[in-house]
Structure formats: C-alpha cells, structure tokens
Amino acid sequence: EVQLVESGGGLVQPGKSLRLSCAASGFTFDDHAIHWVRQAPGKGPEWVSGISWNSGRITYVDSVMGRFTISRDNAKNTVYLQMKSLRADDTAMYYCAKDRAAGGDGWYVDHWGRGTLVIVSS
Amino acid sequence: DIQMTQSPSSLSASVGDRVTITCQASHDIGNHLNWYQQKPGKAPKVLIYDASNFEAGVPSRFSGSGSGTDFTFTISSLQPEDFGIYYCQQYDNLRFSFGQGTKLELK
C-alpha cells in the first residue's frame, strides 16, 4: 500500500523558517516524481513544488521561488521542503503528492499524504 | 505560470442531469489536462487524465474532451455520490496548476 506521511508543520512567526518532510513507502520511490501541494482552508489546491525521480528537474510556483527549496533522499525514501521567510499567505495544509510519472513533464497525482498544517502568524 | 480558468464556480443539479464544466488554459497545453474530484475532508482523486482518458475504476458517466486551450468535463447522468468539488489541473515541464474549482451541489 502506498503511504506518504508528512511531518514538520506547526505554528511559526512571519519571517521564520520551517522544514517539512515526507516519508514514502509502498512503491519504488526513485521511479516517481514527487510534489508538494498546499491547500488553504476553504480554498482549492495550489501546486507548490515538484522534484523529478533523480532530482534532475526541480520546479516551483512563482510565489515561493527563492524562499522554498525542495530536495529528496532516495536512500531514505524521503522528500523535504525547506521553507524560509514565511508569510501569512503561506498558511495552509501542505500535502506530499506522488506523481504517476518519473519526471519530465510530470503527469498527475495518484496518491496524496494526509498533510501537515503550517500556520504563519505572530 | 500557465493559468487555468474554470467555470462555473458552482452549480446545482438534479440526479440524472447532464453536467458540464469547462477549463481554459492561458497557453496551449496540448492534452496535458487532468480532472479531479474532491470530497470534504479528503484529498483530490483523479478521474480523467490527458484530457480524455479514464483512471482505472472511474465510472463511465464521467468523460473529458478538448485540447490546446479549451477543455470540457462531463457527467452524463448525475448520481447522488457525485457531489463535491471538481478541479482541472495542467502539467508542463514538471509544473502544475489547478483551476479554481467547481462546487457541484445536488438539488
């Protein structure tokens, strides 16, 4: 069974940093791209970042470029999202999402984690 | 970023109705368009990929069409379990973007 388990969320002040982790199991981890997708309360999903199977392609939504860094450790079956200079509008549930494809264009999300909540507030 | 404009934002329909949702991309995306259904408290679930292909196990009353910038998602005969929010999603060079969503309510 595919499992994606996020951790690292919490309450953080504006301007501070946080690192999210996503531990994956139940599939061949290095065969798939992984994404972070966030969803604010009552809003639709917003794609945040993607990383190909071998970290050869890394992408971000414009609003987090230069502040967030995605990485993966295929030996540990884990993906990370380092978030710096956090703002109130980064407040959301952050989901780790497995791509059906290995990389390239990406494709679609076929499995989601349960999410980890990030609240940016003073 | 490629912007996705989805309409309507909400609609109310009866069991047995035919329902259509549209999604327009700001740039030509070929057939790189997927459709998801989200129920309250759950993650989105893909129904249609590459504009018109069924994900395994998806009922045949769901369908998709289109290419380039204009796409359509149709439920041919609405069932009570079809309530929820529907999103389109494009993919391009490992970048995604989602439409704003269509909230489907049952009359």
Side-chain angles (χ1 to χ4, degrees):
Chain A
E1 178 192 3
V2 172
Q3 287 200 318
L4 301 163
V5 180
E6 303 93 338
S7 61
L11 174 63
V12 62
Q13 293 178 329
K16 299 294 189 181
S17 299
L18 212 55
R19 189 176 87 152
L20 306 183
S21 298
C22 168
S25 61
F27 64 101
T28 305
F29 183 71
D30 55 9
D31 273 355
H32 294 273
I34 301 291
H35 303 269
W36 287 97
V37 178
R38 64 187 179 186
Q39 192 162 19
K43 301 292 186 183
E46 179 185 32
W47 172 83
V48 174
S49 180
I51 186 166
S52 64
W53 68 279
N54 64 350
S55 305
R57 183 184 290 274
I58 286 175
T59 52
Y60 302 97
V61 69
D62 287 350
S63 62
V64 309
M65 196 86 69
R67 299 189 301 122
F68 290 12
T69 302
I70 191 171
S71 60
R72 67 189 291 163
D73 184 338
N74 285 350
K76 295 183 177 179
N77 284 11
T78 301
V79 175
Y80 305 96
L81 187 68
Q82 178 69 50
M83 304 186 293
K84 301 186 308 182
S85 304
L86 282 161
R87 311 186 305 219
D89 62 359
D90 294 319
T91 294
M93 185 72 81
Y94 282 72
Y95 296 96
C96 178
K98 171 184 168 286
D99 200 306
R100 182 70 174 79
D105 281 344
W107 200 0
Y108 62 86
V109 174
D110 62 357
H111 288 88
W112 303 72
R114 290 182 177 268
T116 186
L117 182 61
V118 173
I119 300 174
V120 184
S121 175
S122 54
Chain B
D1 291 348
I2 296 175
Q3 307 300 318
M4 306 303 295
T5 303
Q6 189 175 335
S7 62
S9 57
S10 66
L11 70 96
S12 181
S14 300
V15 172
D17 283 354
R18 182 181 181 87
V19 168
T20 298
I21 299 168
T22 64
C23 194
Q24 185 171 60
S26 59
H27 299 85
D28 188 332
I29 57 171
N31 70 336
H32 290 188
L33 193 283
N34 307 313
W35 291 96
Y36 296 80
Q37 176 195 63
Q38 187 173 30
K39 296 286 188 84
K42 300 287 189 180
K45 171 189 168 186
V46 69
L47 302 177
I48 301 290
Y49 66 91
D50 290 349
S52 60
N53 294 292
F54 297 98
E55 178 69 342
V58 171
S60 59
R61 64 180 180 274
F62 297 102
S63 65
S65 64
S67 67
T69 60
D70 294 300
F71 301 87
T72 300
F73 174 81
T74 299
I75 307 173
S76 61
S77 179
L78 197 62
Q79 298 302 302
E81 62 269 27
D82 296 339
F83 77 92
I85 305 177
Y86 292 82
Y87 297 98
C88 61
Q89 171 249 316
Q90 69 80 29
Y91 61 97
D92 174 59
N93 286 318
L94 204 62
R95 299 170 66 88
F96 287 4
S97 53
F98 290 87
Q100 306 96 314
T102 296
K103 186 173 184 179
L104 177 55
E105 296 174 316
L106 294 172
K107 279 184 182 175

